[in-house]
Amino acid sequence: MSRRLVESGLPWWNWTPKRVGKAIRNRDNITLLARVGKRIAGFALIHVGEERGHLYLLAVEPEFRRLGIARDLIIWLEESCQVAGVLRIELEVRSANEGALRFYRSLGFDVSAQIPRYYCGREAATRMTKAIADLDYLPS
């Protein structure tokens, strides 16, 4: 799914089955699968650090898009990160992927950086960040 939906058109595959398997087994990561009936409709993979979560992968099969699956995956991850004490979530998305940029903006993510040649030395990435903790209420 990652190859078809996230890394399509790139000259090589960064998220190989071996790398995904290792990430799933990493205790500092959260992996979610969304199912519609018996079919896998989508998935998400996030690394949870001390103060920052980093969304590595998020994809939904085309026939299941616009059903709220990706939104539900992100909300679940945000709530899990809040419980873990994470202050913000970051991600990178292809700068040319206007649909993904609109989606993340609709969820409260803001552009924090542009990274030239991020994807296989060819495509730019847009880094987006969302604060998920109210800093005014954190203990001092």
Side-chain angles (χ1 to χ4, degrees):
M1 240 174 125
S2 174
R3 180 66 174 158
R4 280 186 301 106
L5 302 176
V6 178
E7 298 184 291
S8 65
L10 295 175
W12 63 80
W13 193 0
N14 282 314
W15 284 96
T16 63
K18 182 177 180 179
R19 184 176 180 198
V20 171
K22 184 176 178 181
I24 289 169
R25 291 186 299 277
N26 183 332
R27 297 179 71 173
D28 293 328
N29 293 340
I30 299 170
T31 306
L32 300 177
L33 283 179
R35 292 184 180 271
V36 173
K38 293 185 178 187
R39 293 200 50 213
I40 295 175
F43 75 98
L45 173 62
I46 191 169
H47 174 78
V48 180
E50 289 184 26
E51 294 184 0
R52 177 179 68 97
H54 191 112
L55 183 65
Y56 289 144
L57 296 168
L58 172 71
V60 175
E61 291 285 4
E63 64 265 34
F64 297 115
R65 292 181 184 164
R66 304 235 180 256
L67 299 176
I69 292 170
R71 181 177 300 275
D72 289 347
L73 289 169
I74 293 292
I75 290 169
W76 199 96
L77 291 173
E78 284 181 12
E79 291 172 356
S80 298
C81 285
Q82 286 173 327
V83 169
V86 169
L87 304 178
R88 70 185 184 284
I89 295 176
E90 295 177 346
L91 59 92
E92 289 81 30
V93 62
R94 287 171 153 174
S95 295
N97 189 340
E98 288 295 326
L101 292 166
R102 278 192 306 276
F103 168 72
Y104 289 117
R105 282 189 193 106
S106 77
L107 294 173
F109 284 83
D110 295 311
V111 172
S112 59
Q114 296 292 333
I115 309 166
R117 296 179 304 281
Y118 181 83
Y119 295 99
C120 299
R122 291 185 176 185
E123 290 187 43
T126 299
R127 178 166 291 143
M128 302 185 84
T129 305
K130 179 179 180 180
I132 60 169
D134 187 345
L135 299 178
D136 293 335
Y137 293 100
L138 292 177
S140 47

